[in-house]
Structures are given as structure tokens and as C-alpha cells.
Amino acid sequence: MSKTLVAYFSASGVTAKLAKTLAKVTNADLFEIKPVTPYTAKDLDWMDKKSRSTIEMQDKASRPEMAEKLSSCAQYDTVFVGFPIWWYEAPRIIETFLESCDLSGKTFVPFGTSGGSSMGKTAQILAPSCPGAKVLSGKVLRASSSEADVKAWVDSLHLA
Ligand SMILES: Cc1cc2nc3c(=O)[nH]c(=O)nc-3n(C[C@H](O)[C@H](O)[C@H](O)COP(=O)(O)O)c2cc1C
């Protein structure tokens, strides 16, 4: 059994593609974080102050429900979690996921995709949701990243 997990949420497929490349490069198990209610195009309209994504991101306590929980993350030493950057941070469902598993003693590596923003304070914002974990700052990867690019990033982390 692999000791690395790549979990990801992707609303429109960009992060999903990179997560699959990352899982291949790290020989990891892959887990998709799926919302009970999928996001429609209307939900994702960041120009609309009343859209679902805007409302969730304005509410730091929002925890959109996951369709499926990970049965156990006890066997993993390193957990990568990928997501699109929404309003300069991770979508709230990432906090739902982190709070659904015990990452204490594990290394948590966030990664994102975006329209141009970097990680900003994303890792700091997520840290309280995974007490006891070693939280790396992570990185926004380009949508066009090749397998070699992803591998170069993973190598630069010097994971045990
Ligand atoms: C609600 C919402 C908010 C977003 N906020 C940002 C942002 O703050 N900065 C940015 O560069 N891109 C932002 N984007 C663009 C996404 O991060 C980008 O398209 C991402 O690659 C989508 O990944 P996905 O296909 O895995 O969902 C936003 C997209 C949505 C839908």
C-alpha cells in the first residue's frame, strides 16, 4: 500500500488533471473530494455576490458536505491536497475534508491551480483544520505543467 495520498477537489477539471499526474509521480493513492451537491456554472460565478461559491467563501465557517468520506488516512505519511484557488484561498470543502481525517503526525502539502494567483495565505488558513500536522506552504501549479515539472516540484520538497 502506498504511503502517499493525493486528495483533490476540482470544479472544472484543471486540478483533477494535475492531481492525477501528481499521484502517478508520487506513486500515491488518489481520492476525489466530491461535494454532495455538485457546483453548477451558476454556483461558480464569482461576479455574482449571491452565487453559492461567493456565499461559501464569505463564510469562514461554511463546510460544504462531501459525498463520500475517505475510509481511513491512517496509513499515509504524506497527504497532498489539491484544489482551485477561490478568492485567494482554498474552497471551503477543503476544510471539510481536512476536518474529516486525522492528519496529526503527517505531512500535509497543499497545491492549487488558479487563474494567476499564488497560494498567498492558503496554508496558514488551512492549518487550524489539521492540528498536529506538518503543514508545508505548497504551491500553485500551472495548468500546463508536465509530468517532469510536477516531479521537479515534488523533488524540491525533499519528502522523507
Ligand atoms: C469561485 C471562483 C473563484 C476564483 N478565484 C480565483 C482567485 O482568487 N484567483 C485566481 O487566480 N483564480 C481564481 N479562480 C480561477 C480558478 O482558480 C481556476 O480556474 C482553477 O484552475 C480552476 O480549477 P478546477 O478546474 O480544478 O476547478 C476562481 C474560480 C472560481 C470558480
Side-chain angles (χ1 to χ4, degrees):
M1 179 61 93
S2 163
K3 285 188 167 184
T4 301
L5 173 71
V6 174
Y8 70 94
F9 163 67
S10 182
S12 55
V14 179
T15 310
K17 186 168 167 274
L18 278 168
K20 285 169 194 165
T21 305
L22 178 61
K24 189 176 168 204
V25 163
T26 55
N27 192 26
D29 290 343
L30 192 62
F31 176 75
E32 182 177 0
I33 301 165
K34 276 190 243 164
V36 163
T37 313
Y39 290 86
T40 63
K42 205 164 171 285
D43 291 339
L44 297 171
D45 183 358
W46 65 84
M47 306 289 276
D48 180 357
K49 289 192 171 113
K50 294 202 168 94
S51 76
R52 178 180 166 199
S53 58
T54 306
I55 291 167
E56 286 176 3
M57 295 313 288
Q58 279 178 349
D59 177 5
K60 290 188 193 318
S62 167
R63 294 290 182 271
E65 207 184 325
M66 295 189 298
E68 209 185 308
K69 274 195 186 177
L70 184 65
S71 51
S72 166
C73 56
Q75 67 269 41
Y76 303 112
D77 300 317
T78 304
V79 177
F80 288 89
V81 181
F83 43 82
I85 295 288
W86 283 5
W87 293 104
Y88 313 103
E89 57 171 299
R92 297 280 169 248
I93 197 166
I94 299 304
E95 284 152 302
T96 311
F97 169 76
L98 293 172
E99 290 164 15
S100 76
C101 47
D102 179 5
L103 295 188
S104 60
K106 302 177 192 300
T107 301
F108 163 47
V109 193
F111 69 97
T113 66
S114 80
S117 297
S118 60
M119 292 296 272
K121 293 194 172 132
T122 303
Q124 279 160 262
I125 294 165
L126 296 178
S129 296
C130 43
K134 179 180 177 189
V135 182
L136 303 195
S137 51
K139 190 175 168 66
V140 167
L141 300 170
R142 286 167 173 267
S144 60
S145 296
S146 66
E147 201 173 309
D149 295 332
V150 174
K151 187 171 183 315
W153 172 58
V154 172
D155 288 347
S156 77
L157 299 174
H158 303 292
L159 298 166

